[in-house]
Amino acid sequence: MESYITVRAGFEATGEFVDRKSRFIAQLIHVETEQEAAEHLAAMRARHFDARHNVPAWILADGRERASDDGEPQRTSGMPTLEVLRGAGLRDVCCVTTRYFGGTLLGPGGLVRAYTAAAQAAVEHARAEGMLVEMTSVVPVDVQVPYATYEQVRKALEDRGGKVPTCDFTDSVMLHAIFKAGEEEPFCAWLREFMAGREQVVCGEARFAEF
């Protein structure tokens, strides 16, 4: 997997659907661990302490996923929510959908439609707010150069697809760059030739980040 979509950290997307006075409120956030997903569920249960159900579904970047019906009929709530997250290509997210019972049974088909609609509304909220972001597999590359070659090295780095989020300016310049995984080698090859074996470059482990 080279990239995936997630909700920007710190943002809570919400979506609501009402059917025969039953309210379904989906609350979608960024998580990176099972523990963070469990904490989101606990927070929603505390927020909606008087609700009938709080249905969780989550997917992590490594492919682990889980859904629960939280007392609703089997496969009418958690799994439909999970299918919405899958269909949107989302990873590292947790959606908890709260149901306030309106007094009328909706039946399995009605529940599937309601939980699906609430989760879809939350995803659309995140999209409308510009809070769906693409996470790409990147390699960090730290390059130390003298001030005299800084501009030339930076231009060569950016011309070869790299980005330089930050630099440290001390007695020399340290460029903290990132490349899409697999695209750092052309720059490293150029740097070796340009610096004639005097290059100081460290390539880190691949990780996911906005690029």
Side-chain angles (χ1 to χ4, degrees), residues 4 24 26 36-37 43 46 50 53 55 78 81 88 97 99 101 117 125 179 181 194 204:
Y4 63 91
F24 299 82
E36 289 179 0
D50 54 342
H53 305 282
V55 170
T81 304
T97 303
R99 181 190 182 188
F101 183 56
H125 176 211
F179 287 83
F194 176 71

Side-chain angles (χ1 to χ4, degrees), residues 71-141:
E72 293 280 34
Q74 189 175 9
R75 301 182 68 84
T76 61
S77 53
M79 190 55 65
T81 304
L82 188 61
E83 288 295 342
V84 170
L85 304 182
R86 290 171 176 166
L90 297 176
R91 298 287 182 101
D92 274 355
V93 292
C94 178
C95 183
V96 176
T97 303
T98 301
R99 181 190 182 188
Y100 285 94
F101 183 56
T104 301
L105 296 176
L106 304 183
L111 289 173
V112 170
R113 286 190 296 273
Y115 279 100
T116 297
Q120 288 174 335
V123 173
E124 288 307 311
H125 176 211
R127 181 174 288 113
E129 294 293 325
M131 290 296 169
L132 292 185
V133 295
E134 183 176 9
M135 304 296 282
T136 302
S137 180
V138 301
V139 172
V141 178

Side-chain angles (χ1 to χ4, degrees), residues 16 24 45 115 122 167:
E16 184 168 341
F24 299 82
R45 283 177 170 161
Y115 279 100
C167 293

Side-chain angles (χ1 to χ4, degrees), residues 36 68 87 98 154 179 190-191 196:
E36 289 179 0
S68 167
T98 301
R154 180 162 186 155
F179 287 83
W190 174 88
L191 188 67

Side-chain angles (χ1 to χ4, degrees), residues 143 145-169 173-177 179 187 190-191 194:
V143 183
V145 297
Y147 278 87
T149 60
Y150 162 66
E151 292 290 350
Q152 190 173 357
V153 169
R154 180 162 186 155
K155 184 178 186 305
L157 187 156
E158 292 174 343
D159 286 348
R160 288 161 178 79
K163 294 184 178 180
V164 187
T166 61
C167 293
D168 296 332
F169 296 94
V173 184
M174 177 70 78
L175 294 86
H176 300 290
F179 287 83
F187 167 73
W190 174 88
L191 188 67
F194 176 71

Side-chain angles (χ1 to χ4, degrees), residues 195-211:
M195 299 293 288
R198 293 177 287 107
E199 74 280 353
Q200 298 186 54
V201 58
V202 176
C203 297
E205 295 293 325
R207 57 182 173 81
F208 283 97
E210 289 186 57
F211 186 81

